[in-house]
């Protein structure tokens, strides 16, 4: 289990959660992570790579912040409510389809988190 104890780190993770989908405001949904990365990288944001790789299973880049971001992203619905992994997958499946890359990647990300025992 991962724990954020330091107040500064809590603020950093909160800010990362707020910023990770900023690319939706400037691009299409399929490329939002790339657009967000480009915007934040220009600002020398320390977690720009987490923005780039969130929701991307099997990527070579690894960090605890990325795991934490993926954990939060897979537990929050589009209205900001806390939901289970299962409910999140059901939502993605109903909107995008069971064979969509969004669903397949989300399922893999969740499986990776469970295998790492990244649970709270």
């Amino acid at each position: 289990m991962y724990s954020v104890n330091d107040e500064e780190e809590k603020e950093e993770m909160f800010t990362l959660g707020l910023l990770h989908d900023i690319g939706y405001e400037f691009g299409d949904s399929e490329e939002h992570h790339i657009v967000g990365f480009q915007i934040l990288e220009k600002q020398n944001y320390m977690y720009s790579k987490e923005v780039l790789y969130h929701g991307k299973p099997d990527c070579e880049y690894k960090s605890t912040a990325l795991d934490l971001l993926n954990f939060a992203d897979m537990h929050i619905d589009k209205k900001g409510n806390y939901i289970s992994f299962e409910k999140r997958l059901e939502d993605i499946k109903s909107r995008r389809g069971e064979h969509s890359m969004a669903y397949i990647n989300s399922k893999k990300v969740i499986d990776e988190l469970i295998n790492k025992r990244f649970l709270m």
Side-chain angles (χ1 to χ4, degrees):
M1 181 163 94
Y2 179 73
S3 177
V4 179
N5 296 318
D6 179 78
E7 285 302 313
E8 184 176 332
E9 188 179 16
K10 287 178 185 178
E11 288 179 21
E12 289 171 0
M13 294 300 99
F14 181 79
T15 301
L16 174 58
L18 290 174
L19 292 176
H20 84 281
D21 279 340
I22 194 169
Y24 279 122
E25 297 298 317
F26 303 98
D28 67 35
S29 64
E30 296 299 319
E31 301 294 324
H32 81 278
H33 61 289
I34 296 170
V35 174
F37 166 76
Q38 291 169 340
I39 291 167
L40 297 171
E41 183 74 2
K42 285 179 186 176
Q43 301 301 315
N44 296 315
Y45 182 59
M46 66 187 297
Y47 295 110
S48 60
K49 286 184 180 176
E50 282 75 7
V51 171
L52 178 62
Y53 293 113
H54 81 277
K56 304 292 179 200
D58 308 319
C59 68
E60 290 186 23
Y61 180 77
K62 304 291 182 199
S63 76
T64 303
L66 178 59
D67 285 340
L68 186 58
L69 176 59
N70 281 329
F71 180 88
D73 199 34
M74 291 295 114
H75 270 300
I76 304 298
D77 68 11
K78 61 186 175 184
K79 295 181 181 178
N81 299 307
Y82 181 86
I83 58 173
S84 67
F85 284 150
E86 293 79 16
K87 292 279 186 198
R88 181 75 160 123
L89 287 173
E90 286 174 21
D91 175 58
I92 294 167
K93 183 177 171 180
S94 71
R95 290 185 291 119
R96 302 276 187 97
E98 186 174 7
H99 301 292
S100 69
M101 287 310 300
Y103 179 82
I104 292 166
N105 286 342
S106 296
K107 176 81 169 92
K108 286 181 180 181
V109 165
I110 288 170
D111 288 345
E112 285 178 10
L113 292 169
I114 291 170
N115 287 338
K116 289 180 180 182
R117 299 186 184 274
F118 197 89
L119 307 170
M120 296 187 162

